Amino acid sequence: QVQLVESGGGLVQAGGSLRLSCAASGRTFNIYSMAWFRQAPGKEREFVSAIFLNNGYTYSADSVKGRFIISRENAKNTINLDMNSLKPDDTAVYYCAAGFTYLPTALPLMNEYDYWGQGTQVTVSS
C-alpha cells in the first residue's frame, strides 16, 4: 500500500501563489507516475498536472500551462505543485494521485492512478 498526504492548501487572493506538496509513504518503490487532480463544487474531478518520477517528464492541462509547475523531490518521495497567477476558477479541492503508468498519453486519466490522497482545499478570492 501507498499513502499520500497533501499539504499547502489555503486561501489566497487572485493573482497570488501557493505551493502544494504531496508526500508518499509505504511501498513506493514501484510508483512510476504521480499527478494532481482537482474538483470544484458541483463539477467533476479534472486533471491538472502529472510527472514521471524517474526522468521528471511533465504534462499539464491547458488551463494551467504557464501558471502551474509540477516538480519532484525523489529523495523525499514528494511532489510539489507551484501555482502562480491564481484565478477564482482554480478554487477546488486538489488531490494527489500515484500510479504505475509509464505512458505519457495515460497521465491525464484518473483510472491510471491506484492511490489517492484525501485532498487539500485551495480557495482563490476575487
Side-chain angles (χ1 to χ4, degrees):
Q1 285 286 358
V2 174
Q3 294 78 43
L4 303 175
V5 177
E6 301 102 335
S7 61
L11 173 64
V12 64
Q13 288 188 332
S17 299
L18 277 177
R19 166 176 269 208
L20 304 183
S21 295
C22 174
S25 61
R27 298 173 65 84
T28 61
F29 55 88
N30 281 338
I31 295 299
Y32 202 87
S33 51
M34 293 184 70
W36 291 96
F37 288 77
R38 67 186 181 186
Q39 187 165 17
K43 295 186 177 180
E44 294 185 353
R45 193 171 298 189
E46 65 175 6
F47 171 75
V48 176
S49 192
I51 189 168
F52 285 139
L53 299 182
N54 68 330
N55 61 12
Y57 172 88
T58 64
Y59 179 75
S60 296
D62 287 344
S63 59
V64 305
K65 280 181 182 176
R67 300 189 299 124
F68 291 10
I69 300 173
I70 188 170
S71 61
R72 75 199 197 283
E73 299 179 61
N74 284 352
K76 298 180 181 179
N77 288 330
T78 296
I79 64 167
N80 302 305
L81 185 68
D82 287 296
M83 305 186 294
N84 303 301
S85 302
L86 282 161
K87 307 173 182 178
D89 284 349
D90 295 318
T91 295
V93 177
Y94 283 70
Y95 297 92
C96 177
F100 308 106
T101 186
Y102 53 89
L103 298 174
T105 53
L107 288 173
L109 306 177
M110 283 180 52
N111 60 8
E112 292 290 338
Y113 297 92
D114 294 80
Y115 304 102
W116 292 83
Q118 293 298 309
T120 184
Q121 177 70 46
V122 172
T123 302
V124 184
S125 63
S126 57

